[in-house]
Amino acid sequence: MRTVRIDLDQRLLAAAAAIMGTSSSDATINEALRRIVVHERQLRHRELLGVDAPAALPPREPVVLDG
């Protein structure tokens, strides 16, 4: 994986880690990115299905991405 240096809001990073239960900055950032990808894919699928109401689809198990 490529290393990237970025400045992060440490309070926001700590809050995200507490919400997601992650223990390192890398884990927190990777989990946040994974959740964004899953969320956006779900929104696009809902759009394709023409689903408007959030309760219209049954709850699903979380999607696990490889890698």
Short mmCIF file of all heavy atoms in Angstrom, two decimals:
data_model
loop_
_atom_site.label_atom_id
_atom_site.label_comp_id
_atom_site.label_asym_id
_atom_site.label_seq_id
_atom_site.Cartn_x
_atom_site.Cartn_y
_atom_site.Cartn_z
N MET A 1 0.83 -1.17 0.00
CA MET A 1 0.00 0.00 0.00
C MET A 1 0.88 1.25 0.00
O MET A 1 1.95 1.25 0.59
CB MET A 1 -0.89 -0.02 1.24
CG MET A 1 -2.34 0.08 0.93
SD MET A 1 -3.33 0.12 2.41
CE MET A 1 -3.89 -1.56 2.42
N ARG A 2 0.40 2.28 -0.61
CA ARG A 2 1.12 3.54 -0.67
C ARG A 2 0.96 4.31 0.63
O ARG A 2 -0.11 4.33 1.23
CB ARG A 2 0.55 4.36 -1.82
CG ARG A 2 1.40 5.54 -2.18
CD ARG A 2 0.83 6.22 -3.40
NE ARG A 2 0.55 7.58 -2.98
CZ ARG A 2 -0.40 8.33 -3.46
NH1 ARG A 2 -1.20 7.88 -4.37
NH2 ARG A 2 -0.56 9.55 -3.06
N THR A 3 2.01 4.95 1.09
CA THR A 3 1.96 5.78 2.28
C THR A 3 1.66 7.21 1.88
O THR A 3 2.27 7.75 0.95
CB THR A 3 3.30 5.73 3.03
OG1 THR A 3 3.56 4.38 3.40
CG2 THR A 3 3.27 6.59 4.26
N VAL A 4 0.71 7.82 2.59
CA VAL A 4 0.31 9.19 2.32
C VAL A 4 0.35 9.97 3.63
O VAL A 4 -0.15 9.49 4.65
CB VAL A 4 -1.12 9.24 1.73
CG1 VAL A 4 -1.56 10.68 1.51
CG2 VAL A 4 -1.21 8.45 0.44
N ARG A 5 0.95 11.13 3.61
CA ARG A 5 0.99 11.97 4.80
C ARG A 5 -0.13 12.99 4.70
O ARG A 5 -0.20 13.76 3.73
CB ARG A 5 2.33 12.67 4.91
CG ARG A 5 2.42 13.57 6.12
CD ARG A 5 3.80 14.19 6.22
NE ARG A 5 3.78 15.42 6.97
CZ ARG A 5 3.62 15.51 8.28
NH1 ARG A 5 3.44 14.42 8.98
NH2 ARG A 5 3.62 16.67 8.89
N ILE A 6 -1.01 12.98 5.70
CA ILE A 6 -2.11 13.94 5.73
C ILE A 6 -2.26 14.47 7.15
O ILE A 6 -1.93 13.79 8.13
CB ILE A 6 -3.44 13.34 5.25
CG1 ILE A 6 -3.80 12.10 6.05
CG2 ILE A 6 -3.38 13.02 3.77
CD1 ILE A 6 -5.15 11.52 5.73
N ASP A 7 -2.76 15.69 7.26
CA ASP A 7 -3.07 16.26 8.56
C ASP A 7 -4.52 15.94 8.88
O ASP A 7 -5.40 16.16 8.04
CB ASP A 7 -2.86 17.77 8.55
CG ASP A 7 -1.40 18.15 8.39
OD1 ASP A 7 -0.54 17.45 8.97
OD2 ASP A 7 -1.12 19.13 7.69
N LEU A 8 -4.75 15.41 10.07
CA LEU A 8 -6.10 15.02 10.47
C LEU A 8 -6.53 15.79 11.70
O LEU A 8 -5.71 16.09 12.57
CB LEU A 8 -6.15 13.52 10.79
CG LEU A 8 -5.80 12.57 9.66
CD1 LEU A 8 -5.72 11.15 10.19
CD2 LEU A 8 -6.84 12.65 8.57
N ASP A 9 -7.81 16.06 11.78
CA ASP A 9 -8.40 16.63 12.98
C ASP A 9 -8.40 15.51 14.04
O ASP A 9 -9.15 14.54 13.91
CB ASP A 9 -9.82 17.10 12.67
CG ASP A 9 -10.53 17.71 13.86
OD1 ASP A 9 -10.30 17.26 15.01
OD2 ASP A 9 -11.33 18.63 13.64
N GLN A 10 -7.55 15.64 15.05
CA GLN A 10 -7.38 14.57 16.03
C GLN A 10 -8.64 14.32 16.85
O GLN A 10 -8.93 13.19 17.23
CB GLN A 10 -6.20 14.89 16.96
CG GLN A 10 -4.86 14.89 16.23
CD GLN A 10 -4.56 13.55 15.58
OE1 GLN A 10 -4.60 12.51 16.23
NE2 GLN A 10 -4.26 13.57 14.28
N ARG A 11 -9.41 15.36 17.12
CA ARG A 11 -10.67 15.17 17.85
C ARG A 11 -11.68 14.38 17.01
O ARG A 11 -12.36 13.50 17.51
CB ARG A 11 -11.27 16.51 18.25
CG ARG A 11 -10.48 17.20 19.33
CD ARG A 11 -11.15 18.49 19.74
NE ARG A 11 -10.27 19.23 20.63
CZ ARG A 11 -10.31 20.51 20.80
NH1 ARG A 11 -11.18 21.25 20.14
NH2 ARG A 11 -9.48 21.10 21.63
N LEU A 12 -11.75 14.71 15.74
CA LEU A 12 -12.65 13.99 14.83
C LEU A 12 -12.20 12.55 14.66
O LEU A 12 -13.02 11.63 14.67
CB LEU A 12 -12.69 14.71 13.48
CG LEU A 12 -13.71 14.25 12.46
CD1 LEU A 12 -15.12 14.33 13.01
CD2 LEU A 12 -13.60 15.09 11.20
N LEU A 13 -10.90 12.34 14.55
CA LEU A 13 -10.36 10.99 14.44
C LEU A 13 -10.68 10.17 15.69
O LEU A 13 -11.10 9.02 15.60
CB LEU A 13 -8.85 11.05 14.20
CG LEU A 13 -8.13 9.72 13.99
CD1 LEU A 13 -8.65 9.02 12.74
CD2 LEU A 13 -6.63 9.95 13.91
N ALA A 14 -10.51 10.77 16.86
CA ALA A 14 -10.82 10.07 18.12
C ALA A 14 -12.31 9.76 18.23
O ALA A 14 -12.69 8.68 18.68
CB ALA A 14 -10.36 10.91 19.31
N ALA A 15 -13.15 10.71 17.81
CA ALA A 15 -14.60 10.48 17.86
C ALA A 15 -14.99 9.34 16.92
O ALA A 15 -15.80 8.48 17.27
CB ALA A 15 -15.35 11.76 17.49
N ALA A 16 -14.41 9.32 15.72
CA ALA A 16 -14.70 8.26 14.76
C ALA A 16 -14.23 6.91 15.30
O ALA A 16 -14.94 5.91 15.18
CB ALA A 16 -14.04 8.56 13.42
N ALA A 17 -13.06 6.88 15.91
CA ALA A 17 -12.54 5.64 16.48
C ALA A 17 -13.45 5.12 17.58
O ALA A 17 -13.70 3.91 17.67
CB ALA A 17 -11.12 5.85 17.01
N ALA A 18 -13.96 6.02 18.41
CA ALA A 18 -14.86 5.60 19.49
C ALA A 18 -16.16 5.04 18.93
O ALA A 18 -16.67 4.03 19.42
CB ALA A 18 -15.15 6.79 20.41
N ILE A 19 -16.68 5.65 17.89
CA ILE A 19 -17.92 5.19 17.27
C ILE A 19 -17.73 3.82 16.62
O ILE A 19 -18.57 2.93 16.76
CB ILE A 19 -18.42 6.21 16.23
CG1 ILE A 19 -18.92 7.47 16.94
CG2 ILE A 19 -19.51 5.60 15.34
CD1 ILE A 19 -19.16 8.64 16.01
N MET A 20 -16.60 3.64 15.93
CA MET A 20 -16.38 2.41 15.18
C MET A 20 -15.67 1.33 15.98
O MET A 20 -15.58 0.20 15.54
CB MET A 20 -15.58 2.72 13.91
CG MET A 20 -16.36 3.58 12.93
SD MET A 20 -15.52 3.85 11.37
CE MET A 20 -14.29 5.03 11.85
N GLY A 21 -15.14 1.70 17.15
CA GLY A 21 -14.46 0.71 17.97
C GLY A 21 -13.10 0.31 17.43
O GLY A 21 -12.63 -0.81 17.69
N THR A 22 -12.46 1.21 16.70
CA THR A 22 -11.13 0.92 16.16
C THR A 22 -10.07 1.40 17.14
O THR A 22 -10.30 2.29 17.95
CB THR A 22 -10.94 1.59 14.79
OG1 THR A 22 -11.28 2.97 14.90
CG2 THR A 22 -11.84 0.95 13.75
N SER A 23 -8.87 0.81 17.03
CA SER A 23 -7.83 1.11 18.02
C SER A 23 -6.62 1.85 17.46
O SER A 23 -5.72 2.19 18.21
CB SER A 23 -7.37 -0.19 18.68
OG SER A 23 -6.87 -1.08 17.70
N SER A 24 -6.59 2.08 16.17
CA SER A 24 -5.46 2.82 15.59
C SER A 24 -5.98 3.79 14.53
O SER A 24 -7.09 3.62 14.01
CB SER A 24 -4.45 1.86 14.95
OG SER A 24 -4.98 1.28 13.78
N SER A 25 -5.15 4.77 14.22
CA SER A 25 -5.53 5.74 13.18
C SER A 25 -5.74 5.05 11.84
O SER A 25 -6.71 5.33 11.14
CB SER A 25 -4.44 6.81 13.04
OG SER A 25 -4.34 7.56 14.22
N ASP A 26 -4.83 4.14 11.50
CA ASP A 26 -4.97 3.42 10.23
C ASP A 26 -6.28 2.65 10.17
O ASP A 26 -7.01 2.70 9.17
CB ASP A 26 -3.81 2.44 10.03
CG ASP A 26 -2.50 3.11 9.68
OD1 ASP A 26 -2.50 4.33 9.43
OD2 ASP A 26 -1.48 2.41 9.67
N ALA A 27 -6.59 1.93 11.24
CA ALA A 27 -7.83 1.14 11.27
C ALA A 27 -9.05 2.04 11.19
O ALA A 27 -10.01 1.71 10.49
CB ALA A 27 -7.88 0.29 12.53
N THR A 28 -9.00 3.17 11.87
CA THR A 28 -10.13 4.10 11.86
C THR A 28 -10.36 4.67 10.46
O THR A 28 -11.49 4.68 9.96
CB THR A 28 -9.89 5.26 12.85
OG1 THR A 28 -9.70 4.70 14.16
CG2 THR A 28 -11.05 6.23 12.87
N ILE A 29 -9.31 5.10 9.83
CA ILE A 29 -9.43 5.69 8.49
C ILE A 29 -9.88 4.65 7.48
O ILE A 29 -10.79 4.90 6.67
CB ILE A 29 -8.10 6.35 8.07
CG1 ILE A 29 -7.83 7.56 8.97
CG2 ILE A 29 -8.12 6.75 6.60
CD1 ILE A 29 -6.42 8.08 8.91
N ASN A 30 -9.29 3.46 7.53
CA ASN A 30 -9.69 2.41 6.59
C ASN A 30 -11.13 1.99 6.81
O ASN A 30 -11.88 1.76 5.85
CB ASN A 30 -8.75 1.22 6.69
CG ASN A 30 -7.42 1.50 6.03
OD1 ASN A 30 -7.36 2.15 4.99
ND2 ASN A 30 -6.35 1.03 6.63
N GLU A 31 -11.57 1.88 8.06
CA GLU A 31 -12.97 1.51 8.34
C GLU A 31 -13.91 2.61 7.88
O GLU A 31 -14.97 2.33 7.31
CB GLU A 31 -13.15 1.22 9.83
CG GLU A 31 -14.57 0.87 10.23
CD GLU A 31 -15.11 -0.41 9.60
OE1 GLU A 31 -14.35 -1.19 9.01
OE2 GLU A 31 -16.34 -0.63 9.71
N ALA A 32 -13.55 3.86 8.10
CA ALA A 32 -14.39 4.97 7.64
C ALA A 32 -14.52 4.95 6.12
O ALA A 32 -15.63 5.12 5.59
CB ALA A 32 -13.82 6.30 8.12
N LEU A 33 -13.42 4.73 5.42
CA LEU A 33 -13.47 4.66 3.97
C LEU A 33 -14.32 3.49 3.51
O LEU A 33 -15.12 3.62 2.57
CB LEU A 33 -12.05 4.55 3.40
CG LEU A 33 -11.17 5.78 3.56
CD1 LEU A 33 -9.74 5.46 3.16
CD2 LEU A 33 -11.72 6.95 2.77
N ARG A 34 -14.17 2.34 4.16
CA ARG A 34 -14.96 1.17 3.81
C ARG A 34 -16.44 1.46 3.99
O ARG A 34 -17.26 1.15 3.11
CB ARG A 34 -14.56 -0.04 4.68
CG ARG A 34 -15.26 -1.33 4.26
CD ARG A 34 -15.12 -2.42 5.31
NE ARG A 34 -15.88 -2.11 6.51
CZ ARG A 34 -17.21 -2.24 6.63
NH1 ARG A 34 -17.93 -2.66 5.62
NH2 ARG A 34 -17.82 -1.94 7.75
N ARG A 35 -16.80 2.11 5.10
CA ARG A 35 -18.21 2.41 5.35
C ARG A 35 -18.78 3.39 4.34
O ARG A 35 -19.94 3.25 3.92
CB ARG A 35 -18.39 2.96 6.77
CG ARG A 35 -18.18 1.90 7.83
CD ARG A 35 -18.47 2.45 9.19
NE ARG A 35 -18.17 1.48 10.23
CZ ARG A 35 -18.62 1.57 11.47
NH1 ARG A 35 -19.39 2.59 11.84
NH2 ARG A 35 -18.30 0.66 12.36
N ILE A 36 -17.98 4.34 3.92
CA ILE A 36 -18.44 5.29 2.89
C ILE A 36 -18.71 4.56 1.59
O ILE A 36 -19.74 4.77 0.93
CB ILE A 36 -17.40 6.41 2.68
CG1 ILE A 36 -17.37 7.32 3.90
CG2 ILE A 36 -17.71 7.20 1.41
CD1 ILE A 36 -16.19 8.28 3.91
N VAL A 37 -17.80 3.68 1.19
CA VAL A 37 -17.97 2.92 -0.06
C VAL A 37 -19.23 2.06 0.01
O VAL A 37 -20.04 2.05 -0.92
CB VAL A 37 -16.72 2.07 -0.36
CG1 VAL A 37 -16.98 1.08 -1.48
CG2 VAL A 37 -15.54 2.97 -0.69
N VAL A 38 -19.41 1.35 1.11
CA VAL A 38 -20.60 0.49 1.27
C VAL A 38 -21.86 1.34 1.23
O VAL A 38 -22.83 1.01 0.53
CB VAL A 38 -20.52 -0.33 2.57
CG1 VAL A 38 -21.86 -0.99 2.89
CG2 VAL A 38 -19.43 -1.37 2.47
N HIS A 39 -21.87 2.45 1.94
CA HIS A 39 -23.04 3.33 1.99
C HIS A 39 -23.40 3.86 0.60
O HIS A 39 -24.56 3.81 0.19
CB HIS A 39 -22.77 4.50 2.95
CG HIS A 39 -23.87 5.49 3.01
ND1 HIS A 39 -25.04 5.25 3.67
CD2 HIS A 39 -23.97 6.72 2.46
CE1 HIS A 39 -25.83 6.30 3.54
NE2 HIS A 39 -25.21 7.21 2.81
N GLU A 40 -22.40 4.34 -0.12
CA GLU A 40 -22.65 4.88 -1.46
C GLU A 40 -23.12 3.81 -2.43
O GLU A 40 -24.00 4.05 -3.25
CB GLU A 40 -21.40 5.59 -2.00
CG GLU A 40 -21.08 6.87 -1.27
CD GLU A 40 -22.19 7.92 -1.38
OE1 GLU A 40 -22.79 8.06 -2.47
OE2 GLU A 40 -22.45 8.59 -0.38
N ARG A 41 -22.57 2.60 -2.32
CA ARG A 41 -23.04 1.50 -3.17
C ARG A 41 -24.49 1.17 -2.86
O ARG A 41 -25.29 0.91 -3.77
CB ARG A 41 -22.17 0.27 -2.97
CG ARG A 41 -20.82 0.37 -3.64
CD ARG A 41 -20.00 -0.87 -3.41
NE ARG A 41 -18.71 -0.77 -4.08
CZ ARG A 41 -17.70 -1.57 -3.85
NH1 ARG A 41 -17.81 -2.56 -2.98
NH2 ARG A 41 -16.56 -1.41 -4.49
N GLN A 42 -24.84 1.16 -1.59
CA GLN A 42 -26.22 0.88 -1.20
C GLN A 42 -27.16 1.95 -1.74
O GLN A 42 -28.24 1.63 -2.25
CB GLN A 42 -26.35 0.77 0.31
CG GLN A 42 -25.73 -0.49 0.88
CD GLN A 42 -25.70 -0.50 2.39
OE1 GLN A 42 -25.84 0.52 3.05
NE2 GLN A 42 -25.50 -1.69 2.94
N LEU A 43 -26.77 3.21 -1.66
CA LEU A 43 -27.60 4.29 -2.21
C LEU A 43 -27.80 4.13 -3.71
O LEU A 43 -28.91 4.29 -4.21
CB LEU A 43 -26.96 5.65 -1.92
CG LEU A 43 -27.02 6.14 -0.49
CD1 LEU A 43 -26.27 7.48 -0.36
CD2 LEU A 43 -28.44 6.28 0.00
N ARG A 44 -26.74 3.80 -4.42
CA ARG A 44 -26.85 3.62 -5.88
C ARG A 44 -27.75 2.43 -6.23
O ARG A 44 -28.54 2.50 -7.16
CB ARG A 44 -25.47 3.47 -6.49
CG ARG A 44 -24.77 4.81 -6.55
CD ARG A 44 -23.46 4.76 -7.30
NE ARG A 44 -22.85 6.07 -7.35
CZ ARG A 44 -22.18 6.64 -6.35
NH1 ARG A 44 -22.04 6.02 -5.22
NH2 ARG A 44 -21.65 7.84 -6.48
N HIS A 45 -27.62 1.34 -5.47
CA HIS A 45 -28.49 0.19 -5.71
C HIS A 45 -29.95 0.55 -5.45
O HIS A 45 -30.84 0.14 -6.20
CB HIS A 45 -28.07 -1.01 -4.85
CG HIS A 45 -26.82 -1.66 -5.32
ND1 HIS A 45 -25.77 -1.93 -4.49
CD2 HIS A 45 -26.43 -2.08 -6.56
CE1 HIS A 45 -24.80 -2.50 -5.18
NE2 HIS A 45 -25.18 -2.59 -6.44
N ARG A 46 -30.20 1.30 -4.39
CA ARG A 46 -31.56 1.73 -4.09
C ARG A 46 -32.12 2.59 -5.21
O ARG A 46 -33.28 2.46 -5.59
CB ARG A 46 -31.61 2.49 -2.77
CG ARG A 46 -31.37 1.60 -1.55
CD ARG A 46 -31.19 2.40 -0.29
NE ARG A 46 -32.22 3.40 -0.09
CZ ARG A 46 -33.41 3.19 0.46
NH1 ARG A 46 -33.70 1.98 0.88
NH2 ARG A 46 -34.27 4.16 0.61
N GLU A 47 -31.28 3.48 -5.74
CA GLU A 47 -31.71 4.32 -6.86
C GLU A 47 -32.07 3.47 -8.07
O GLU A 47 -33.07 3.71 -8.74
CB GLU A 47 -30.62 5.33 -7.22
CG GLU A 47 -30.44 6.43 -6.21
CD GLU A 47 -29.24 7.31 -6.52
OE1 GLU A 47 -28.57 7.11 -7.56
OE2 GLU A 47 -28.95 8.20 -5.70
N LEU A 48 -31.25 2.47 -8.35
CA LEU A 48 -31.51 1.59 -9.49
C LEU A 48 -32.81 0.81 -9.30
O LEU A 48 -33.53 0.53 -10.26
CB LEU A 48 -30.36 0.61 -9.69
CG LEU A 48 -29.06 1.22 -10.20
CD1 LEU A 48 -27.94 0.18 -10.19
CD2 LEU A 48 -29.25 1.78 -11.61
N LEU A 49 -33.10 0.45 -8.04
CA LEU A 49 -34.33 -0.28 -7.75
C LEU A 49 -35.55 0.63 -7.64
O LEU A 49 -36.67 0.15 -7.57
CB LEU A 49 -34.17 -1.08 -6.45
CG LEU A 49 -33.17 -2.22 -6.48
CD1 LEU A 49 -32.95 -2.76 -5.07
CD2 LEU A 49 -33.64 -3.32 -7.41
N GLY A 50 -35.30 1.93 -7.60
CA GLY A 50 -36.40 2.87 -7.46
C GLY A 50 -37.00 2.89 -6.06
O GLY A 50 -38.18 3.17 -5.89
N VAL A 51 -36.19 2.62 -5.07
CA VAL A 51 -36.66 2.59 -3.68
C VAL A 51 -36.48 3.96 -3.08
O VAL A 51 -35.40 4.52 -3.08
CB VAL A 51 -35.86 1.54 -2.87
CG1 VAL A 51 -36.27 1.55 -1.41
CG2 VAL A 51 -36.03 0.16 -3.48
N ASP A 52 -37.60 4.50 -2.53
CA ASP A 52 -37.54 5.83 -1.91
C ASP A 52 -37.48 5.76 -0.39
O ASP A 52 -36.76 6.51 0.24
CB ASP A 52 -38.75 6.67 -2.33
CG ASP A 52 -38.70 7.01 -3.81
OD1 ASP A 52 -37.60 7.16 -4.34
OD2 ASP A 52 -39.77 7.11 -4.41
N ALA A 53 -38.27 4.90 0.20
CA ALA A 53 -38.37 4.87 1.66
C ALA A 53 -37.28 3.99 2.25
O ALA A 53 -37.04 2.88 1.77
CB ALA A 53 -39.73 4.32 2.07
N PRO A 54 -36.59 4.47 3.31
CA PRO A 54 -35.53 3.67 3.92
C PRO A 54 -36.01 2.31 4.43
O PRO A 54 -35.26 1.35 4.42
CB PRO A 54 -35.05 4.53 5.09
CG PRO A 54 -35.47 5.90 4.75
CD PRO A 54 -36.70 5.77 3.90
N ALA A 55 -37.25 2.20 4.86
CA ALA A 55 -37.75 0.95 5.41
C ALA A 55 -38.23 -0.02 4.33
O ALA A 55 -38.67 -1.12 4.64
CB ALA A 55 -38.89 1.24 6.38
N ALA A 56 -38.12 0.36 3.07
CA ALA A 56 -38.65 -0.47 2.01
C ALA A 56 -37.83 -1.75 1.79
O ALA A 56 -38.37 -2.75 1.35
CB ALA A 56 -38.72 0.32 0.70
N LEU A 57 -36.56 -1.71 2.10
CA LEU A 57 -35.73 -2.89 1.96
C LEU A 57 -35.50 -3.54 3.32
O LEU A 57 -35.34 -2.85 4.30
CB LEU A 57 -34.36 -2.52 1.36
CG LEU A 57 -34.36 -2.08 -0.09
CD1 LEU A 57 -32.95 -1.68 -0.52
CD2 LEU A 57 -34.87 -3.18 -1.00
N PRO A 58 -35.45 -4.86 3.36
CA PRO A 58 -35.19 -5.52 4.65
C PRO A 58 -33.75 -5.26 5.08
O PRO A 58 -32.88 -5.02 4.24
CB PRO A 58 -35.41 -7.01 4.33
CG PRO A 58 -35.21 -7.12 2.87
CD PRO A 58 -35.64 -5.80 2.28
N PRO A 59 -33.48 -5.29 6.40
CA PRO A 59 -32.10 -5.09 6.85
C PRO A 59 -31.20 -6.18 6.31
O PRO A 59 -31.62 -7.32 6.15
CB PRO A 59 -32.20 -5.18 8.37
CG PRO A 59 -33.61 -5.50 8.70
CD PRO A 59 -34.41 -5.54 7.46
N ARG A 60 -29.96 -5.80 6.00
CA ARG A 60 -29.00 -6.75 5.45
C ARG A 60 -27.78 -6.84 6.33
O ARG A 60 -27.47 -5.92 7.07
CB ARG A 60 -28.57 -6.30 4.06
CG ARG A 60 -29.71 -6.32 3.06
CD ARG A 60 -29.24 -5.93 1.71
NE ARG A 60 -28.09 -6.72 1.32
CZ ARG A 60 -27.43 -6.57 0.19
NH1 ARG A 60 -27.80 -5.67 -0.66
NH2 ARG A 60 -26.39 -7.30 -0.09
N GLU A 61 -27.07 -7.94 6.17
CA GLU A 61 -25.80 -8.09 6.87
C GLU A 61 -24.81 -7.14 6.25
O GLU A 61 -24.88 -6.84 5.06
CB GLU A 61 -25.30 -9.53 6.75
CG GLU A 61 -26.15 -10.54 7.49
CD GLU A 61 -26.16 -10.31 8.98
OE1 GLU A 61 -25.09 -10.06 9.55
OE2 GLU A 61 -27.24 -10.39 9.58
N PRO A 62 -23.82 -6.65 7.03
CA PRO A 62 -22.80 -5.74 6.46
C PRO A 62 -22.04 -6.42 5.33
O PRO A 62 -21.82 -7.63 5.35
CB PRO A 62 -21.87 -5.46 7.63
CG PRO A 62 -22.59 -5.93 8.85
CD PRO A 62 -23.63 -6.91 8.41
N VAL A 63 -21.66 -5.63 4.35
CA VAL A 63 -20.88 -6.13 3.23
C VAL A 63 -19.40 -6.11 3.62
O VAL A 63 -18.92 -5.12 4.14
CB VAL A 63 -21.09 -5.24 1.98
CG1 VAL A 63 -20.19 -5.68 0.85
CG2 VAL A 63 -22.55 -5.27 1.57
N VAL A 64 -18.71 -7.20 3.39
CA VAL A 64 -17.28 -7.27 3.70
C VAL A 64 -16.51 -7.16 2.40
O VAL A 64 -16.74 -7.93 1.47
CB VAL A 64 -16.94 -8.59 4.41
CG1 VAL A 64 -15.45 -8.69 4.68
CG2 VAL A 64 -17.73 -8.73 5.70
N LEU A 65 -15.62 -6.18 2.34
CA LEU A 65 -14.80 -5.97 1.14
C LEU A 65 -13.47 -6.67 1.32
O LEU A 65 -12.87 -6.60 2.38
CB LEU A 65 -14.56 -4.48 0.91
CG LEU A 65 -15.81 -3.63 0.74
CD1 LEU A 65 -15.43 -2.18 0.60
CD2 LEU A 65 -16.60 -4.07 -0.48
N ASP A 66 -13.00 -7.34 0.29
CA ASP A 66 -11.70 -7.99 0.34
C ASP A 66 -10.60 -6.95 0.19
O ASP A 66 -10.74 -6.00 -0.55
CB ASP A 66 -11.56 -9.02 -0.79
CG ASP A 66 -12.49 -10.18 -0.61
OD1 ASP A 66 -12.83 -10.53 0.54
OD2 ASP A 66 -12.87 -10.76 -1.63
N GLY A 67 -9.50 -7.20 0.89
CA GLY A 67 -8.32 -6.36 0.71
C GLY A 67 -8.31 -5.18 1.52
O GLY A 67 -7.72 -4.26 1.55
#
